[in-house]
Amino acid sequence: MRERRPGTLAVHAGHDGEDGPGAPVVPPVHRAAIHRFDTTDDFSHVMADSRAGYLYGRLRNASTDDLAAAVAALEGAERALCFASGMAAVDAILDVLAPPGTAIVAPRQLYGTTVSALRRRGPVAFADVRDHDAIAAALARRGPALLYAETSSNPHVAVADLPALAALAHAAGAPLVVDNTVATPLGCRPLDHGADAVLHSATKYLNGHSDAVAGVVAAPAELVERLERHQVETGAVLAPDAAWLVRRGMRTLHLRVVHASAAATAIAGHLEAHGRVARVFHPSLASHPTADAARRVLRLPGALLAFEVRGGRAAAEAVMDGVTVCLRATSLGGVETTISHPASTSHRELSADELAAAGVPEGLLRLSVGCEDPDDLVDDLEGALR
Ligand SMILES: *Cc1c(COP(=O)(O)O)cnc(C)c1O
């Protein structure tokens, strides 16, 4: 059968549950924490993994299996595994692929909590995502190494040139792990570009409705089996209800991401032409620092953007306080547009000089564009900037 396109997979992929006449179109939530057996023989075989079946909630669950199968299909992966959160997925992949003594190399442009999770394991070599020479040099030391990157970063939406990074990692015998949360599988499929594993905070676009916290790793079957064995011992499983909500949200992934990406492109163009805006960061703009990588790697520019208002912190706070459609809130990837001020939230511990060095000026605002009417969002920002 020919491979279906991503928008179709987002609706239909996964285990459809019951078959036969009158089968439900929507799968139930499989809340059972334990499963029973008709015979001791079945019981012992399932326990020994020599016969397929569910046994106990920390080992496998049909609702999380359904979500994992859908994400694997969208990412073009052999298999996937769900986790209790995006950070649980990050932690598991590092435990499995970067045991103590592994040199971790990463672009500087990374999710803040991921930076601390990497650092907790030992020294990390950070380089600018465009500085391939520095990344190659950091990978070239003796011993095992791992390269960790995000397809599109937050808040600057810096795009990693994944084919180039995969080549650098593999030349050093290191795996490339990619966080594809911001780009989504509709914007990019990192495994097609040479990544060895791809992960998501499914809390964001995959769920899309800001009502569940979840993580997923998609990878070759052999790696997913190692992650499963790790999860049996660490226990960071996703609850069935949360898995069901994420799978339900994913059915509209295509609609949401295509809409929000087009809206973000329109808003980015509008803001770039605005007299009170100094800079806009969005991969759709020719002025974007990683516009080249975006052309190679992204099928959609995405729904996240950042912009710097003239007038520093006071002006940024005035815009934040002036919006009436955008929500003042953290996180991204929901149907609702959220606006945040990195200098007073995610980066609040940095001094003014440190903020400037991190490329987060005090006037920078981040927008996660949702599914409202784009004209209302433009009006909202326009009014707040005035
Ligand atoms: C939110 C986020 C995470 C962490 O995911 P949680 O589900 O909040 O644990 C990791 N990476 C990126 C890029 C994120 O946006």
Side-chain angles (χ1 to χ4, degrees), residues 85-87 111 114 150 154 179 181-182 201 203-204 213-214 332:
S85 68
M87 289 319 300
Y111 183 68
T114 300
E150 293 175 4
N154 166 17
D179 180 335
T181 301
V182 172
S201 166
T203 314
K204 315 293 168 54
V213 171
L332 56 100

Side-chain angles (χ1 to χ4, degrees), residues 122-345:
V124 184
F126 288 107
D128 187 274
V129 70
R130 291 165 299 178
D131 193 347
H132 294 176
D133 291 344
I135 291 172
L139 285 166
R141 50 152 263 175
R142 289 157 63 91
L146 175 138
L147 180 56
Y148 187 101
E150 293 175 4
T151 311
S152 297
S153 78
N154 166 17
H156 295 100
V157 213
V159 179
D161 188 339
L162 295 179
L165 294 190
L168 294 179
H170 296 159
L176 170 64
V177 174
V178 176
D179 180 335
N180 200 34
T181 301
V182 172
T184 85
L186 297 179
C188 178
R189 296 211 317 189
L191 299 174
D192 293 348
H193 294 291
D196 297 280
V198 54
L199 67 91
H200 284 270
S201 166
T203 314
K204 315 293 168 54
Y205 292 99
L206 296 183
N207 170 271
H209 296 75
S210 311
D211 56 9
V213 171
V216 188
V217 177
E222 179 271 333
L223 177 53
V224 172
E225 279 158 28
R226 287 166 68 192
L227 288 164
E228 275 178 326
R229 289 195 290 277
H230 175 270
Q231 192 178 61
V232 167
E233 290 163 12
T234 54
V237 291
L238 183 61
D241 287 84
W244 191 92
L245 282 171
V246 175
R247 182 64 192 94
R248 135 94 88 115
M250 270 178 70
R251 294 189 203 278
T252 55
L253 182 70
H254 186 245
L255 279 177
R256 287 185 284 107
V257 172
V258 169
H259 172 94
S261 189
T265 300
I267 292 167
H270 188 89
L271 289 173
E272 196 171 46
H274 198 289
R276 294 203 171 146
V277 174
R279 279 203 77 171
V280 184
F281 297 90
H282 189 253
S284 65
L285 300 171
S287 61
H288 192 63
T290 60
D292 275 352
R295 264 191 298 278
R296 270 193 290 282
V297 166
L298 293 186
R299 281 180 290 185
L300 289 168
L304 195 72
L305 66 93
F307 62 104
E308 184 187 355
V309 294
R310 297 188 199 279
R313 182 178 290 254
E317 285 179 359
V319 172
M320 282 282 289
D321 288 332
V323 291
T324 56
V325 178
C326 303
L327 304 181
R328 286 167 288 275
T330 186
S331 196
L332 56 100
V335 291
E336 56 286 312
T337 296
T338 59
I339 187 166
S340 62
H341 181 226
S344 58
T345 55

